[in-house]
Amino acid sequence: MQALYQLLLEVAAAGEGVVQAGAKPIFVGGDHTQAAGAWRGVGRALGIAPGLIWIDAHLDAHVPATSPSGNPHGMPLAALLGYGDPALTGIPGPALDPHRVAVVGGRSFEAAEAQFLADLGVRVLGTADIDSHGLHAVFTEARRIAEGDGHGFGISFDIDALDPREAPAVSTPAPAGLPAEALREALRGCLREPRCVGLEVVEYCPGRDPQGRTARLVIDLVEAAAAPDGAELRRWEDEYGARNYAPLPVVLQSGSGCWLKDVDGRRYLDLMAAYSAASFGHSHPRLVAALGAQAGRLAVTSRAFSNDRLPLLLRRLTELTGHDRALPINTGLEAVETALKAARKWAHKVKGVPDGQAEIIACTGNFHGRSIAITGLSSEPQYRDGFGPFPTGTRSVPYGDAAALEAAITPHTAAFLVEPIQGEAGIIVPPAGYLAACAEICRRHRVLFIADEVQTGLGRTGRLLACQHEGVRPDGIILGKALGGGMLPVSAFLADNEVMQVFSPGDHGSTFGGNALAAAVALEALDILEEEDLVNRTAELGDHLLASLQTIARESPLVREVRGRGLFAGIELNPQVDAHQLALALLERGVLTRETHGTVLRLAPPLVISREELDWGLERIAETLAARGRPPPQAA
């Protein structure tokens, strides 16, 4: 016991020093006995014993006379209250006030311990309380007790309070236990609060944690306890990050299906799906499993070597689209660049355009990415401002005007690059027959028709590809976003042999493009698309979405037009209405979406959204529009 006493003196001194330095100690150890030193040291520094939330499967409130084993392992809480062996109680510092101690999660203890604490007035909030009221309510009550009359409180957490199936690396596991996610939420940000003076995590047994599973969980819990709130995180992002984005004032922390949760615990319905990247929802169990399983086997080797996943993805993509070959890349922008390189080299090597003179035609209002070359195709002044000079050999024609395309084609034209529906421009659906007419013009002039389906592809519009609404088979297809399942950046350019054969080894590549991890996730995403029948489901839900939006438009004077296809829709507002302010108002009502061009709210929910969830979101949109009232009258 003398060695234990000396150890506890050291722990107490360490805790006291941290508090005196103006910081908050985090104690991490193997046995809860260390608490007998930790909180005495904190109390010395504060000049008063802190209140204490004791989270433990066991009460640890034996004294020598009641302990079945005589092991000090079962005595630290009693010692902190001033009872027990002098080796534990003799650490200099104030004893805890039993009326400011709350035990949470106790489920394996002797009757003598429970009676001892009850006699002292210590509140035990056990599994029955948690089952009845939930951990969040129980933890809130424990905090109320520990804070008492406004003094500081600490948290002493024994890992065996958790379900041993989640945290097996403990010496005295007890069946059942607290769910880790619920405890993480209860602890979130507590160390950032002025009244919380420290945190202790004990009972970790490294020898029982060969995979590091419990260690990772402990780190998660400590990070949650130290996590800043949303306002502080936004301030850090603004202070330390480049200001090339202006996110809405919400900091998201977790997601499941169509729902997201912020760091402050609020839930939101996602009607953006990360611009279609999260088409399968957030944390889809199959995608999470595929990601984890493949990450544990092989992730990245570069294309200097083949891996066993990529060939499966290449074959699947070509069978799905009917094109001969696929070239895997990472982001949508990279896939667009790949398509441009393929088109120009095809024009030179196959069509006979002199080297360096191949031209690409795009449409005004396009958004294909933000690289220098792609920005050169843009008609948006902000995207171009200050970034020139841009590569030559590009020109633009009005979107939706097939005659303008034909007039712009020259003998040097290599390709026409087009979005089947323009997303960033405001969900602009072209006139019926436009894509088919453009495809016919391109065939007649021997120009490649390349469809950028990064946002619209893989079911978003109620067809596998948006071009299929007009029966168009492009010469080249660009896929991205949804192909990565919302887990990884995965993209691809697909074309037939005549185009793809222009590439030789070394012409084009990417270290990460086609890596095994990305291929495995993309394969699972394509399986989900097919097996959950998401394309047909999106067509049906899309009809419902657009019909509902038309009803909202008829009832709201704020709405100028509704347009879209499938689960890809835009609400164009009257010019006097600030779409950004409307997005902020929807955020307050628990709906996530964003505006584009200041006048359009874009809607692109995950394809897995239920009709009930979609209707809930539509009701919030209708309410928000109604609350905004009528726009001011337009000037004559």
Side-chain angles (χ1 to χ4, degrees), residues 343-358:
R344 282 185 163 175
K345 192 161 189 178
W346 170 85
H348 175 54
K349 296 291 186 180
V350 179
K351 187 176 178 179
V353 174
D355 192 14
Q357 297 184 35

Side-chain angles (χ1 to χ4, degrees), residues 300-595:
V300 179
T301 61
S302 87
R303 292 296 300 281
F305 314 98
S306 296
N307 65 69
D308 65 345
R309 299 291 92 190
L310 178 58
L312 304 181
L313 176 62
L314 297 177
R315 179 174 178 177
R316 184 71 177 280
L317 284 171
T318 55
E319 290 176 345
L320 196 64
T321 63
H323 285 74
D324 293 338
R325 296 182 182 273
L327 197 161
I329 311 290
N330 307 292
T331 65
L333 176 152
E334 292 173 84
V336 173
E337 289 277 2
T338 301
L340 296 180
K341 289 178 71 175
R344 282 185 163 175
K345 192 161 189 178
W346 170 85
H348 175 54
K349 296 291 186 180
V350 179
K351 187 176 178 179
V353 174
D355 192 14
Q357 297 184 35
E359 298 173 344
I360 305 293
I361 298 176
C363 292
T364 56
N366 77 77
F367 183 83
H368 299 291
R370 290 191 175 96
S371 69
I372 288 292
I374 296 173
T375 301
L377 291 169
S378 177
S379 59
E380 183 68 26
Q382 181 186 357
Y383 299 161
R384 300 172 62 91
D385 183 31
F387 295 117
F390 302 105
T392 58
T394 62
R395 61 174 61 189
S396 296
V397 296
Y399 186 65
D401 187 342
L405 168 64
E406 184 154 29
I409 291 175
T410 74
H412 292 170
T413 303
F416 173 52
L417 175 64
V418 64
E419 298 162 273
I421 297 175
Q422 288 191 334
E424 188 68 18
I427 319 299
I428 306 298
V429 180
Y434 169 70
L435 297 176
C438 291
E440 191 278 327
I441 290 168
C442 288
R443 279 194 300 273
R444 190 153 30 88
H445 291 277
R446 207 181 182 202
V447 169
L448 298 179
F449 180 95
I450 299 177
D452 182 345
E453 296 257 14
V454 170
Q455 282 199 62
T456 55
L458 301 181
R460 171 56 57 189
T461 67
R463 294 286 184 94
L464 178 68
L465 302 172
C467 283
Q468 292 173 343
H469 287 284
E470 295 195 12
V472 171
R473 182 186 185 275
D475 299 300
I477 299 172
I478 302 165
L479 296 178
K481 295 195 185 296
L483 189 57
M487 296 283 165
L488 295 169
V490 185
S491 64
F493 172 60
L494 294 108
D496 288 337
N497 283 323
E498 181 182 295
V499 175
M500 285 297 196
Q501 56 92 21
V502 303
F503 286 121
S504 299
D507 280 358
H508 188 64
S510 164
T511 300
F512 281 86
N515 70 77
L517 185 60
V521 170
L523 281 165
E524 190 66 25
L526 295 175
D527 284 345
I528 293 169
L529 184 69
E530 180 181 354
E531 293 167 18
E532 296 187 9
D533 197 24
L534 293 182
V535 176
N536 290 326
R537 192 172 175 279
T538 297
E540 295 174 6
L541 272 180
D543 290 342
H544 175 65
L545 169 63
L546 291 170
S548 300
L549 290 177
Q550 293 290 356
T551 300
I552 291 172
R554 285 192 295 271
E555 296 175 354
S556 174
L558 305 184
V559 178
R560 184 177 184 179
E561 184 184 11
V562 167
R563 52 183 177 260
R565 186 165 277 161
L567 290 177
F568 197 39
I571 304 173
E572 179 152 358
L573 304 165
N574 284 309
Q576 297 84 3
V577 182
D578 187 334
H580 179 69
Q581 291 301 316
L582 206 58
L584 289 172
L586 283 167
L587 176 70
E588 290 300 312
R589 292 177 183 268
V591 172
L592 295 180
T593 185
R594 282 304 301 258
E595 78 287 352

